[in-house]
Amino acid sequence: LWYPVVGEQAAAVGPFTAHTYAYRVSIAHIFREMLGWRLPACCRRTFDLSSRLPVAVNAPMSKEITRLVLLAHGHLGSPFDLLHVAETFAPLGFVVAAPEFADSVSGGVTPSGAAADRGAVVDAVIQRFQADGFETSLFLGHSKGGGTAVRTALQSRWRLGRVCICADDAADYRGQDPLLTIASQGDTTFTSDWAAFFQSIKRQAAGGLYAGAGGAAELAADLNPPRMSALLFTPPDPDVPLPSHVSFIDSRVSAALVRVGRPLFPLARCLGVDVLGLDTFANRPDGDACSAMVLPAIVRWAESRK
């Protein structure tokens, strides 16, 4: 949970310091989920992710903060996958919540009953914040979390809208809230059906399609982007690499996953396991460059509906 400390509380709370988040990766859980293999539970690693903003841990939350941003991670993801999004929206006056779902890479959540259902977890988070008077402002997810953002909590109104990143579920969105779809032709999860996905999103977004090399900058500069918009990374020319699936998650997380996965890339290739661009990221880390393009575009699109 991230939120700004404002007003007189900022002077009373402290100290604000650099902070490290414990990012836990269960190698045993990854092998079980992807291959059905059972490894000892002790096969896990923990990485320290350094915050990019000064942090006061457990500071009281001001009553002035009433807008909720909800983040949803993907399968074998973590609440830190979208840490860069949290660190962008919290200083803008939002409380940002990132629940850990049962299929988290940490392997630390034991799925049982409602806790195993993403929709139930999302509903519980919404109910908690609405009971405290919060407005549901923005719902953003990546990969399977993008599907969560467009398929769950459809009875709740998200005033600024929903953002679906790297998930073909966006093409089937039937909700009433505004929607921003973000995807890349360089994402291997779209390899077989990118053309069909592109045409579906083009119809859905109508006049709000921002595509090609300058699409992100165009959206970030648009003072009134349509409520149904799409930012699609398509090849400007054959020599310009496109973002991969993991380009859109926080680069600190991607770097940690590369440290875990690099020794396993040859095995993954032999078994035909898609590593979602981690092998590419290992040689061409583009997470920060991707964030620099995407985050201003998301902020512009969302805040145009203030």
Side-chain angles (χ1 to χ4, degrees), residues 124-264:
V125 173
I126 292 171
Q127 289 167 15
R128 175 208 159 173
F129 280 95
Q130 286 183 334
D132 291 335
F134 281 84
E135 168 199 270
T136 47
S137 295
L138 186 70
F139 192 177
L140 182 151
H142 172 264
S143 192
K144 185 177 180 180
T148 304
V150 298
R151 293 188 183 277
T152 66
L154 293 178
Q155 76 285 356
S156 300
R157 296 279 72 85
W158 294 85
R159 190 171 66 83
L160 302 185
R162 301 170 185 246
V163 180
C164 179
I165 304 175
C166 298
D168 58 7
D169 306 74
D172 300 320
Y173 177 59
R174 297 293 182 266
Q176 300 301 310
D177 299 318
L179 175 66
L180 172 61
T181 299
I182 301 175
S184 171
Q185 193 171 346
D187 181 349
T188 54
T189 63
F190 290 103
T191 298
S192 62
D193 57 357
W194 173 262
F197 174 78
F198 183 92
Q199 291 303 320
S200 295
I201 296 301
K202 184 178 179 180
R203 290 191 295 270
Q204 182 190 81
L209 179 63
Y210 304 83
E218 183 183 353
L219 175 53
D222 195 334
L223 298 180
N224 189 30
R227 65 188 306 277
M228 301 296 289
S229 293
L231 172 57
L232 302 181
F233 289 84
T234 55
D237 66 64
D239 298 322
V240 178
L242 292 166
S244 69
H245 197 75
V246 299
S247 302
F248 294 92
I249 66 175
D250 188 274
S251 62
R252 291 160 286 187
V253 170
S254 298
L257 288 174
V258 166
R259 291 174 64 185
V260 172
R262 190 189 295 271
L264 303 173

Side-chain angles (χ1 to χ4, degrees), residues 27-39 267 271:
I27 301 169
H29 189 57
I30 293 172
F31 271 77
R32 185 168 59 250
E33 287 286 304
M34 299 188 72
L35 298 170
W37 297 0
R38 293 195 173 275
L39 274 62
L267 175 62
L271 296 174

Side-chain angles (χ1 to χ4, degrees), residues 84-105:
H84 55 321
V85 178
E87 291 180 338
T88 297
F89 275 90
L92 297 177
F94 296 88
V95 57
V96 183
E100 184 172 17
F101 296 107
D103 55 3
S104 163
V105 74

